[in-house]
Amino acid sequence: MDSIARSAFSSCTNMSSISIGKSISYIGQDAFSSCVSLASISIKAEVPPFTPRLGLTDSQFKSTILTVPLGCSEAFSNADIWQQFTHIEESEFLEPEIFEVDGITYIELSRQNPSCEVYHPNSPYSGSIAIPSEVEWEEITYKVSSIHTGAFNNATDLKSLSIPATIVTLGGNLFNDCTSLEELTIEDCEENLWCEYNSNETKGLFTNSPLKELYLGRNLSYVSNTIGGYSPFANISSDFEATIGPLVTVLQDYLFYNCQGLYPQPLGDNLRTIGTKTFSNCKKFTEVTLPGSLVYAREFAFEGCENIQKVIIEDNYGAEHSFTVGQAIFYGDHNIKEIWCYCETVPVLYGSSTFYMVDKDVCTLYVPALKIEAYRSSDTWNGFKHIKAIEKLAQTLVWEQAIEPLEIGDIINLDFLVDVEGTEPVFEYDVDIISIYNEEGQWRLKALAVGETKVSLRMGETEVYLASNVVTKTVKVLPVEAEAVELSLCELSLYIGDQEQLTATVLPTNTTYPEISWSSDNPSIAKMDGSMVTAVSEGQAIVTASCGNASAQCTVTVMKREQRILWNQEFEDVTEKDVLELTAETTSGLPVYYIWITDETSVRIEGNLLTVDISGQMSISANQDGNEEYSEAEPVRKSFVAAEYNSIGTVEADGRRIYCQNHYLELIGFADNEEVTVYTIDGALWYRGSDRHIPVSKGTTYIIVYQGKVLKIGVR
């Protein structure tokens, strides 16, 4: 603040002292006019604020003490207006202490009468906080009397807060962005708690907090307006419960305005006033109880609570006061079906508009039996078409019918007697097992599903009679058994690995438990997964579909799959001492093996490598014996002629050159780290690695393998 406006404190007749901050540079004319009790003024500014006139009398200038900062009395004694004060004193204005105790920051309000308020910390508050009623700092015990403006701003991790009875003021903008505040306790206290509001948004202090639980232990005071924006709890969007404490006597205007998630709770035993629009638009209210302590429920108190169906007005138990209901208290609550008023003294209504929009032709008013005529003769209560007594008479039900076990679809008539005409029966039973309905005046029971259920019957409550005694019967519904099972196939042929889905039909079609169980007499040949048949191995198995005592079977024959050997390899220019890579394969993907047919001493076969030792006519056969899934393949034979072998000293292929020099095998044109394997002609491993200078023996033939290529070189 930098200024005080004209007549700002005019006629504040009970104000005895005022402290003016050091930033004030202007005080308007007659700011303290008629402040007849003003005995002291403290000014913390070192430069006297300009003022055209303070509004003090001559006697006040002589009696009122003016306190100024150290070393500034001369400046004030020479300044216009201020020089009129007879008593100008100097004081060291100490800055208030800011301290932290148990995780809560406080700022000193007074040291003479020690008090402090909760202050904003260096980092936002979080977790659960219970503010104490007093704290001790430097051997001084301070009373915690308020919460500073913005103290809990941006406390996004604050979960719960408890406010003690010593606090009398909640500062403005106090809980902005407290997006996790779910529990709030305002402790019991007879003194009102003053609440500021979020000035930047004209919202209540807790509007943006997702409250779940609220305990309100004292009356609240706050600025109210026509839309409830300043009420501490107005417009809260979360679902929450609010417990009203025993010391709360007034629920101010707009207190829970538009709290659509507020669950209805008892309003407290000592509540005397409900303000204007206190519970407006509280959509979760389905039933409202106005306590007997209530004196006045103001206009529009429950307007827009469109889901209220029942209102209970408790008796004031002979209290001297009568209960007064304001105009349009349930405005817009057109779904109210019942009003139970226990008041022996007929409540005073604000004319016919009290229950405006309540359908008085549909809504039933229940009142004490001895006061029915008093309500009917009231000019405002007599608008209800149905006014009934709260006390009701008893009625008796007799149901001796025996109910035998039923089958699904059976229908029986229900026979019972009641000593009062016009009452309706109320049945309770398992709706999945039976149904009960009225057809042309006769109550009937129909069996729907297998099972057992208790059927409870009572006669419903009426305008005059209470509900009857309850009679319970047991109803059993028996199942319809399966008589036969029909399969989609009786015989089935499959190859190993094949699958086939079978379909089963249970007869009769209304069988109660038509679930099918599947089995195989030899799962190692044909196994079942539900109704799916999987061929496992060669042979024959019988699968069975069963339902109760009925079943059907299917014979499953499992065969091996056929396979062929594909061998298109041609053998040309074969010489003795050649090593040939054999390339036969099967349609099944199973490996083949090779048999030398002509002369076992003329060749050697290792895996798919064939070594020709001599020249002449040769024959070889590719074979596959089959396995659990495939049958044996027809062998494929190949014949060729091997020429005589002439040793050579150099081989060139694929850009690579291999030759022998000085008893070393030299490899030219090979990539770095390219692995080479060298065998002797008799198949023994000679070398494997990436060297390009390999020692060899003279007069020996070697087989060189690299990247799937096979070359032969003779060393002279």
Side-chain angles (χ1 to χ4, degrees):
M1 282 174 52
D2 58 11
S3 62
I4 298 175
R6 176 176 181 170
S7 302
F9 296 96
S10 178
S11 299
C12 291
T13 56
N14 292 324
M15 183 172 68
S16 61
S17 65
I18 186 169
S19 176
I20 299 174
K22 61 183 179 181
S23 62
I24 299 297
S25 60
Y26 173 80
I27 299 177
Q29 181 174 320
D30 295 329
F32 304 111
S33 175
S34 299
C35 293
V36 296
S37 300
L38 188 60
S40 66
I41 300 175
S42 295
I43 297 180
K44 297 181 180 180
E46 295 181 353
V47 177
F50 172 77
T51 177
R53 185 172 66 196
L54 292 174
L56 300 179
T57 64
D58 289 340
S59 62
Q60 285 180 300
F61 278 118
K62 293 178 180 180
S63 61
T64 302
I65 298 174
L66 175 63
T67 305
V68 300
L70 292 176
C72 296
S73 58
E74 183 177 354
F76 277 84
S77 297
N78 295 326
D80 289 341
I81 307 300
W82 304 107
Q83 63 186 358
Q84 298 181 50
F85 283 89
T86 301
H87 303 286
I88 300 178
E89 300 179 354
E90 294 184 353
S91 174
E92 181 182 4
F93 293 115
L94 299 176
E95 291 296 324
E97 290 281 354
I98 298 176
F99 54 91
E100 180 181 324
V101 178
D102 295 333
I104 302 177
T105 302
Y106 303 90
I107 186 170
E108 183 182 51
L109 296 179
S110 172
R111 194 169 300 174
Q112 183 176 3
N113 297 309
S115 64
C116 64
E117 66 180 4
V118 178
Y119 200 57
H120 49 77
N122 291 328
S123 58
Y125 292 108
S126 63
S128 298
I129 293 180
I131 300 173
S133 57
E134 58 182 31
V135 293
E136 186 173 342
W137 176 256
E138 294 186 350
E139 299 183 354
I140 299 176
T141 300
Y142 292 89
K143 176 183 177 182
V144 182
S145 61
S146 60
I147 302 179
H148 191 80
T149 297
F152 291 93
N153 262 351
N154 300 316
T156 56
D157 293 325
L158 179 65
K159 304 296 184 183
S160 67
L161 178 67
S162 178
I163 299 175
T166 55
I167 288 183
V168 296
T169 302
L170 301 181
N173 302 311
L174 196 54
F175 297 97
N176 287 347
D177 297 323
C178 288
T179 53
S180 299
L181 181 58
E182 297 181 346
E183 297 182 15
L184 174 66
T185 300
I186 300 177
E187 296 180 358
D188 294 338
C189 181
E190 294 182 353
E191 185 178 0
N192 285 14
L193 175 63
W194 173 257
C195 301
E196 292 289 346
Y197 55 90
N198 293 339
S199 59
N200 293 334
E201 303 178 10
T202 63
K203 292 182 178 180
L205 291 180
F206 301 96
T207 299
N208 296 326
S209 300
L211 290 182
K212 290 185 178 179
E213 296 183 16
L214 164 67
Y215 179 82
L216 180 62
R218 60 200 293 190
N219 295 335
L220 302 181
S221 298
Y222 49 87
V223 175
S224 180
N225 67 1
T226 56
I227 60 171
Y230 298 108
S231 164
F233 304 108
N235 299 304
I236 291 179
S237 60
S238 60
D239 292 351
F240 72 104
E241 295 182 356
T243 301
I244 308 300
L247 299 182
V248 176
T249 60
V250 177
L251 297 177
Q252 289 282 26
D253 298 349
Y254 301 97
L255 183 59
F256 295 106
Y257 178 87
N258 199 34
C259 290
Q260 299 191 25
L262 175 64
Y263 289 96
Q265 298 290 320
L267 298 181
D269 296 333
N270 298 309
L271 187 66
R272 297 181 67 81
T273 301
I274 299 177
T276 299
K277 298 192 177 185
T278 297
F279 295 102
S280 180
N281 292 327
C282 291
K283 304 297 186 184
K284 287 189 178 294
F285 281 35
T286 57
E287 182 176 307
V288 170
T289 299
L290 304 179
S293 60
L294 204 60
V295 177
Y296 194 10
R298 298 181 64 85
E299 58 272 11
F300 302 105
F302 295 93
E303 70 150 348
C305 299
E306 58 191 30
N307 294 314
I308 294 178
Q309 299 185 24
K310 184 177 182 179
V311 176
I312 299 173
I313 304 174
E314 294 181 345
D315 188 15
N316 56 17
Y317 301 104
E320 294 180 358
H321 65 270
S322 62
F323 172 48
T324 302
V325 182
Q327 66 172 329
I329 182 175
F330 294 106
Y331 181 82
D333 304 340
H334 46 75
N335 289 316
I336 296 177
K337 300 297 187 296
E338 299 178 6
I339 298 177
W340 292 70
C341 185
Y342 290 84
C343 295
E344 296 288 341
T345 301
V346 179
V348 178
L349 302 183
Y350 191 90
S352 60
S353 67
T354 295
F355 294 105
Y356 181 65
M357 293 185 70
V358 175
D359 191 342
K360 299 180 181 64
D361 291 336
V362 175
C363 181
T364 301
L365 172 63
Y366 295 89
V367 299
L370 297 179
K371 298 296 181 178
I372 290 179
E373 291 306 319
Y375 279 87
R376 285 177 176 167
S377 61
S378 170
D379 290 338
T380 51
W381 289 98
N382 62 8
F384 287 90
K385 183 177 180 179
H386 305 288
I387 302 179
K388 300 179 181 181
I390 292 174
E391 300 89 350
K392 297 183 179 182
L393 302 177
Q395 56 179 323
T396 303
L397 168 70
V398 178
W399 189 18
E400 297 179 346
Q401 179 182 11
I403 300 178
E404 300 296 331
L406 306 173
E407 290 187 351
I408 294 176
D410 286 351
I411 299 174
I412 62 171
N413 293 335
L414 300 181
D415 298 320
F416 50 87
L417 296 175
V418 64
D419 61 350
V420 175
E421 293 184 0
T423 58
E424 287 293 323
V426 178
F427 295 93
E428 294 182 2
Y429 53 90
D430 190 334
V431 297
D432 293 328
I433 295 176
I434 64 171
S435 68
I436 296 178
Y437 58 95
N438 190 300
E439 186 175 66
E440 298 179 353
Q442 174 63 58
W443 286 97
R444 306 183 192 279
L445 182 152
K446 182 177 182 180
L448 301 178
V450 173
E452 182 176 309
T453 180
K454 299 287 186 182
V455 179
S456 296
L457 167 61
R458 62 180 173 85
M459 304 311 296
E461 201 166 320
T462 69
E463 182 181 28
V464 178
Y465 294 96
L466 297 170
S468 74
N469 57 304
V470 178
V471 180
T472 301
K473 300 287 183 180
T474 299
V475 177
K476 294 182 179 180
V477 181
L478 304 178
V480 177
E481 301 292 344
E483 297 177 3
V485 177
E486 293 182 353
L487 280 178
S488 56
L489 294 172
C490 295
E491 294 184 356
L492 178 63
S493 296
L494 298 174
Y495 287 111
I496 294 173
D498 283 351
Q499 291 183 318
E500 181 75 22
Q501 188 87 45
L502 297 179
T503 303
T505 303
V506 179
L507 299 175
T509 56
N510 65 336
T511 298
T512 304
Y513 302 113
E515 292 80 8
I516 300 293
S517 62
W518 297 85
S519 63
S520 170
D521 70 340
N522 197 337
S524 63
I525 293 175
K527 67 177 182 178
M528 300 300 297
D529 183 3
S531 61
M532 180 68 74
V533 184
T534 300
V536 179
S537 63
E538 188 176 23
Q540 195 171 74
I542 297 176
V543 298
T544 303
S546 302
C547 180
N549 294 324
S551 64
Q553 295 180 333
C554 175
T555 300
V556 180
T557 302
V558 180
M559 303 168 291
K560 288 187 176 182
R561 298 178 183 275
E562 295 182 353
Q563 62 173 332
R564 292 183 299 110
I565 295 177
L566 305 176
W567 195 9
N568 298 322
Q569 183 177 11
E570 297 296 333
F571 295 89
E572 298 178 351
D573 299 327
V574 179
T575 62
E576 59 177 308
K577 308 216 181 279
D578 276 352
V579 177
L580 305 179
E581 182 181 9
L582 305 178
T583 61
E585 59 184 21
T586 61
T587 55
S588 65
L590 295 175
V592 300
Y593 66 91
Y594 303 92
I595 299 175
W596 185 253
I597 298 174
T598 308
D599 181 359
E600 294 184 358
T601 62
S602 61
V603 296
R604 282 171 288 112
I605 299 177
E606 294 183 5
N608 66 335
L609 291 180
L610 169 66
T611 301
V612 181
D613 290 330
I614 60 175
S615 60
Q617 183 69 35
M618 311 289 179
S619 291
I620 188 171
S621 174
N623 304 270
Q624 169 45 242
D625 295 337
N627 61 5
E628 295 85 354
E629 184 178 354
Y630 289 90
S631 59
E632 180 181 358
E634 183 71 24
V636 177
R637 177 178 294 186
K638 292 287 184 177
S639 298
F640 60 91
V641 176
E644 292 184 358
Y645 166 71
N646 293 315
S647 296
I648 59 174
T650 300
V651 174
E652 292 186 7
D654 300 321
R656 296 169 174 81
R657 180 169 178 246
I658 303 172
Y659 65 96
C660 184
Q661 183 174 338
N662 296 327
H663 303 295
Y664 281 90
L665 198 61
E666 304 291 341
L667 281 69
I668 307 299
F670 286 79
D672 292 339
N673 299 321
E674 184 178 355
E675 187 172 271
V676 174
T677 303
V678 181
Y679 298 92
T680 60
I681 194 64
D682 58 3
L685 178 64
W686 181 264
Y687 170 81
R688 176 178 287 126
S690 57
D691 286 349
R692 302 295 178 257
H693 186 66
I694 303 169
V696 293
S697 298
K698 184 177 180 181
T700 304
T701 299
Y702 294 91
I703 305 300
I704 302 171
V705 180
Y706 65 94
Q707 293 188 347
K709 303 294 183 178
V710 180
L711 298 178
K712 179 175 64 177
I713 186 168
V715 180
R716 297 185 176 90

